Amino acid sequence: ITNIKLPSTDSEKGIIKNLENGCSYNSDSKDEEIEIYLADKKEMDVIENITSFSGIPLNFKIYQADIENAVATIINNERYILYDQRLLDFADSETNSYWSSISILAHEIGHHLSGHTLNELKDSHKAELEADNFSGFVLYNMGASIDQATAAIKKLGSTLESESHPKKEDRIREIKKGWEKAYKLDY
């Protein structure tokens, strides 16, 4: 059973024990114990912006975590997005674009909106591609170019398929499909 102790101040550390399920950005997300911290204002603003462009309410609890990843999960019937600030900073730095961290967070929101966090996934590759499609769709609506929307996965994705994630070539194609779908709706 997953247990959680939430931090209440910037200097306080929270803990999630036995995270049983979750959809992650680039690798499997099962950890026995995760340290969590209050989210930075920047990431809170980004997630609020993403949700406003998708027309949904901001109904996620958002925390920084020492996970070298980003994860969408449900704990005690509440939606969570956990992100590692180092991953977001690395993605932005390596691609020279703030759109990279936005695409990672949009991907995680896509998991929640697609219902991937509600049950154990039967097809994790399909779920990852659906979240990638959502990311491309929302990034177009926020003003990102197709290159900006795909930059993070181009840099961080694997050329090889894993048990949990498709290869980056497939993920890039799906982000582009989402971006192009939003473009067509716009015009």
Side-chain angles (χ1 to χ4, degrees), residues 1-4 6 16-24 29-31 34 36 59-63 70-82 108-121:
I1 290 179
T2 301
N3 296 311
I4 187 166
L6 298 174
I16 298 174
K17 291 186 179 180
N18 303 316
L19 182 62
E20 294 172 350
N21 66 348
C23 298
S24 59
S29 62
K30 296 187 189 325
D31 287 302
I34 300 169
I36 61 172
N59 59 1
F60 311 102
K61 293 188 178 221
I62 303 144
Y63 290 93
V71 176
T73 190
I74 294 180
I75 303 171
N76 300 330
N77 295 317
E78 296 202 63
R79 294 178 183 192
Y80 285 83
I81 293 178
L82 309 174
E108 296 311 318
I109 291 170
H111 279 304
H112 277 306
L113 298 182
S114 299
H116 303 150
T117 54
L118 297 174
N119 302 306
E120 191 167 331
L121 291 175

Side-chain angles (χ1 to χ4, degrees), residues 138-156:
V138 106
L139 262 68
Y140 170 83
N141 286 316
M142 293 176 73
S145 70
I146 202 163
D147 289 334
Q148 291 166 327
T150 57
I153 200 61
K154 284 178 180 175
K155 187 65 182 177
L156 301 174

Side-chain angles (χ1 to χ4, degrees), residues 29-185:
S29 62
K30 296 187 189 325
D31 287 302
E32 288 186 25
E33 187 170 295
I34 300 169
E35 293 180 2
I36 61 172
Y37 306 89
L38 293 180
D40 284 343
K41 181 175 178 356
K42 175 186 165 203
E43 281 68 36
M44 292 295 295
D45 290 345
V46 165
I47 290 175
E48 186 175 319
N49 209 0
I50 292 167
T51 59
S52 72
F53 276 96
S54 60
I56 62 162
L58 179 59
N59 59 1
F60 311 102
K61 293 188 178 221
I62 303 144
Y63 290 93
Q64 286 188 61
D66 288 329
I67 54 176
E68 297 179 9
N69 210 336
V71 176
T73 190
I74 294 180
I75 303 171
N76 300 330
N77 295 317
E78 296 202 63
R79 294 178 183 192
Y80 285 83
I81 293 178
L82 309 174
Y83 68 90
D84 194 319
Q85 188 65 54
R86 297 169 299 179
L87 171 69
L88 301 184
D89 291 345
F90 177 79
D92 287 350
S93 173
E94 289 296 305
T95 62
N96 200 28
S97 172
Y98 62 87
W99 288 109
S100 293
S101 57
I102 294 171
S103 74
I104 292 168
L105 294 170
H107 174 93
E108 296 311 318
I109 291 170
H111 279 304
H112 277 306
L113 298 182
S114 299
H116 303 150
T117 54
L118 297 174
N119 302 306
E120 191 167 331
L121 291 175
K122 292 180 180 21
D123 186 347
S124 65
H125 285 217
K126 181 179 180 213
E128 292 304 324
L129 295 173
E130 287 173 354
D132 287 331
N133 187 287
F134 175 79
S135 174
F137 184 88
V138 106
L139 262 68
Y140 170 83
N141 286 316
M142 293 176 73
S145 70
I146 202 163
D147 289 334
Q148 291 166 327
T150 57
I153 200 61
K154 284 178 180 175
K155 187 65 182 177
L156 301 174
S158 174
T159 56
L160 301 175
E161 185 174 284
S162 73
E163 189 175 316
S164 61
H165 288 72
K167 60 187 176 191
K168 74 175 160 183
E169 176 184 320
D170 295 339
R171 296 184 71 183
I172 291 165
R173 185 172 37 255
E174 203 60 35
I175 293 167
K176 286 180 177 181
K177 279 185 191 176
W179 192 95
E180 289 165 354
K181 180 171 48 176
Y183 174 83
K184 286 176 185 171
L185 286 173

